[in-house]
Amino acid sequence: MQIPVLGLGEVSAEAINKLKSMLNKNFKKLKFYTSGRAEFPENSFNDFRDQYIAERIMDAFRDDGIQIILTERDAYRKGRNYIFGESEYRGPAVISTKRLDPGFYDKDSDKDKKFRRLEKVAVHQLGHCFGMDNCENPGCVMNSPSSVRDLDEGSADFCEECQVEISTKGLPLK
Ligand SMILES: [Zn+2]
Ligand SMILES: [Zn+2]
């Protein structure tokens, strides 16, 4: 199965390529490829909050099935102040790197750290695209992170139970 990795708005080629290669490394049976760039859908920006609205982005790309959509802009969804990622079963996964760089938190920018976090967010969201739920196991990538600290302490791997479950959902890891 081939899955596109799309840049939304201004996204560095480095971030897109890095994400693609991290996903290809984590999901050996899938083939991730870069599919260029798209503009944000109309009405997907909330001026008052200075953030993009994840639901509006999902609405615009839902019909295209599973794809990874990467933005460097900040986004939120209803009931949440912000998101690292948002995804749907058999639908798109929208991922924002905005809050993944330590630079966002008045620390020195750290690309390596940002990409390690990005990897965990992307694997988690792709799990949802294939029908996985959040997992209670703190050592599992499907454990829902609520902060970058959770991401730093969390795993990029599926726990044993999730590995079994994911293979029944048509996403073999090896
Ligand atoms: Zn989740
Ligand atoms: Zn798990």
Side-chain angles (χ1 to χ4, degrees), residues 12-117:
S12 76
E14 185 191 17
I16 290 276
N17 287 323
K18 185 80 187 173
L19 178 57
K20 182 189 71 171
S21 62
M22 290 190 299
L23 285 166
N24 277 321
K25 188 195 76 185
N26 278 284
F27 299 99
K28 298 246 178 340
K29 297 284 183 182
L30 302 175
K31 173 94 184 101
F32 294 86
Y33 66 96
T34 55
S35 62
R37 245 171 38 78
E39 297 304 326
F40 282 95
E42 266 184 65
N43 303 323
S44 66
F45 189 67
N46 183 326
D47 281 307
F48 182 71
R49 293 178 60 140
D50 195 25
Q51 286 176 303
Y52 283 91
I53 306 160
E55 290 96 331
R56 298 269 168 84
I57 301 171
M58 302 295 288
D59 289 345
F61 292 97
R62 181 168 292 118
D63 290 348
D64 300 337
I66 297 177
Q67 76 176 311
I68 306 289
I69 300 172
L70 184 69
T71 178
E72 295 181 349
R73 303 294 301 273
D74 201 19
Y76 76 101
R77 70 170 155 86
K78 200 172 174 217
R80 290 282 303 272
N81 290 331
Y82 65 88
I83 55 151
F84 296 134
E86 175 79 6
S87 54
E88 284 178 4
Y89 179 50
R90 293 187 179 176
V94 177
I95 296 161
S96 166
T97 59
K98 182 72 181 179
R99 292 172 190 256
L100 299 180
D101 192 306
F104 181 82
Y105 306 93
D106 293 329
K107 294 178 180 152
D108 290 338
S109 184
D110 184 338
K111 230 185 251 178
D112 289 342
K113 198 164 203 174
K114 176 173 89 171
F115 287 141
R116 278 198 300 276
R117 291 168 173 172

Side-chain angles (χ1 to χ4, degrees), residues 124-125 128 134 142 144-145:
H124 180 104
Q125 297 302 335
H128 284 318
N134 287 333
M142 290 313 294
S144 187

